[in-house]
Amino acid sequence: RLLEAAEVICATCLTAGSDMLSSRAFSCVLLDEATQSTEIATLVPIVDTCQRLVLVGDHRQLPPTILSYKAQLAGLAESLFERMVRLNYPYTMMDIQFRMHPVIAEFPAAQWYGGALANGVSAAQRPPPAGVAWPDPSQ
């Protein structure tokens, strides 16, 4: 009864295909960390009734975890998100990061984002944890 009254249901991709949810129609699916989900798993919540799909993730970060070497060779290590980017499907990159200390963010910004990733926080907003000797770039 609770699920029948719900406007939003949060579940993993595979749970969306479980007995509990398989009879539900999902017209809109928002898939967070979409680059960590295998393409096959991503199909579970969208295959029957999805009319709008939003994939959220970063194809330059963690890919799906595929333990089988044969599966990797067969192309099963690519997420739907990665495939869509590779096929030049339009996407929007969020280019301001708020999680990391700016000094930590320098490396990924340069290495994987060609300098296109800006900081939305200052070093003062991300003080080091108590007891950690944080490097001082002025020395």
Side-chain angles (χ1 to χ4, degrees), residues 8-129:
V8 175
I9 296 175
C10 298
T12 65
C13 290
L14 297 181
T15 300
S18 69
D19 291 341
M20 180 178 20
L21 297 176
S22 63
S23 62
R24 299 280 308 206
F26 298 103
S27 61
C28 180
V29 174
L30 185 143
L31 183 58
D32 192 18
E33 299 295 352
T35 59
Q36 293 182 39
S37 178
T38 64
E39 188 169 19
I40 293 169
T42 302
L43 294 176
V44 173
I46 68 174
V47 73
D48 288 326
T49 59
C50 181
Q51 297 168 6
R52 180 176 297 162
L53 174 63
V54 178
L55 300 175
V56 180
D58 187 344
H59 61 287
R60 294 182 180 115
Q61 290 189 20
L62 294 173
T65 300
I66 305 296
L67 301 178
S68 166
Y69 184 66
K70 282 185 174 181
Q72 290 177 15
L73 290 176
L76 299 178
E78 184 175 48
S79 68
L80 178 61
F81 191 112
E82 290 172 297
R83 180 183 302 272
M84 293 174 79
V85 169
R86 182 173 52 78
L87 295 174
N88 296 314
Y89 197 89
Y91 67 94
T92 300
M93 178 181 148
M94 294 181 184
D95 55 3
I96 301 175
Q97 75 83 23
F98 294 91
R99 293 182 181 177
M100 293 179 276
H101 188 285
V103 172
I104 295 172
E106 286 176 12
F107 175 74
Q111 183 69 30
W112 291 296
Y113 301 98
L117 185 63
N119 290 301
V121 293
S122 68
Q125 292 173 297
R126 294 291 181 264

Side-chain angles (χ1 to χ4, degrees), residues 128-134:
V132 174
W134 194 259

